[in-house]
Amino acid sequence: MLSNPLLKNFRSVYLYLLFWVSLSVVYALLLYLVIGTTLSTALADSFVFNFILSFLGLSFWYPARFISFESNKVGKIFLAHLTGSVLASTIWLITGYYFITATLGLGETYSTFFYSTLSWRFIIGLLIYFLITSLYYIIIYYTGFHERILREADLRNLVTEAELKSLKFQINPHFIFNSLNSMSALTTLDPSKAKEMILKLADFLRYTLANNVRQTNKLSEELKNIRLYLEIEKIRFEDKFEYIEELAEDTKSIPVPNMILQPLFENAIKHAVYETLEKVTLKMNSVIENNFLKLTLENNFDPTAIAKKGAGVGIQNIKNRLELLYHQNNLIEVKKDEKTFSVILYIPLGENVI
């Protein structure tokens, strides 16, 4: 009985009782005003029979619960409930009649009235059975539909989370391979710089591991990680590039996807700093614009340099992650003119990510 959805909370119980009290009042008025019984007979008949039927109605949950449409044929279901409705109506009428005549002492006059109305009472019993049972089937269907939606949402979140983890795991190896190549070159050319680079790489990886479980990070924390990365590259390229930050104060604490900026800086180092003889300026800018955090990384480059071919995991990786996190495919913009290359990220403000 406790699993009955009509008893699961106070509101459901209240509505169920309100329905039966209202029905009892209407039923009593019909007996008194239309049929012409005495007021005491109308009240006794109405409240006794409706009370018994309201109690029986709670038990109709079990046939609805265990005779499901998924595992039974329609004909079998109809036959089972027809049998149940006949049985329930019979119990209802016998119990109500004997309670009124034996307990309340309504005598021969009431018996005559009861038997004269027995046929339509029986039909009402059948209709109430099918009405309540249908309500239970609707509740079962709605509950199952709601649970399926939740399960599908959970499954989609798990798939999305797995895809995001896959994309994040592409970032570190990409950078580590590049760093190892650099250190390999430095071990013969400048062992002291190679040692310094190893120590800074250790700091970078330690920081990355500490924050890797997070889905988002404050912009200030994310850029702290970027500065560690640039310190490593500074050992390799020395004064070949400079880094400038222009951050709006109100943007520093805004959460951004963890490691989302790393591929941008790697691209700038790889395609601008590595390929040109001139000094390259990396300029990071952050502002709030139209309910988005707008992050712009801009760098100059040598247009005459032969472009270094990449593996294509950088910008595409960022695009995929932003689309999975915010369900928008227009959150990254790439611009290029004769001497400047810039990538703009738009982080929706107030959006929760998984």
Side-chain angles (χ1 to χ4, degrees), residues 61-75:
W61 161 252
Y62 293 101
R65 177 70 179 81
F66 296 105
I67 304 175
S68 66
F69 281 93
E70 288 79 8
S71 55
N72 295 280
K73 294 182 179 179
V74 175

Side-chain angles (χ1 to χ4, degrees), residues 205-223:
L205 293 178
R206 193 177 297 113
Y207 183 91
T208 302
L209 286 173
N211 292 277
N212 201 36
V213 293
R214 297 180 182 177
Q215 198 59 268
T216 61
N217 214 358
K218 289 182 181 178
L219 176 62
S220 57
E221 292 294 315
E222 189 69 11
L223 288 173

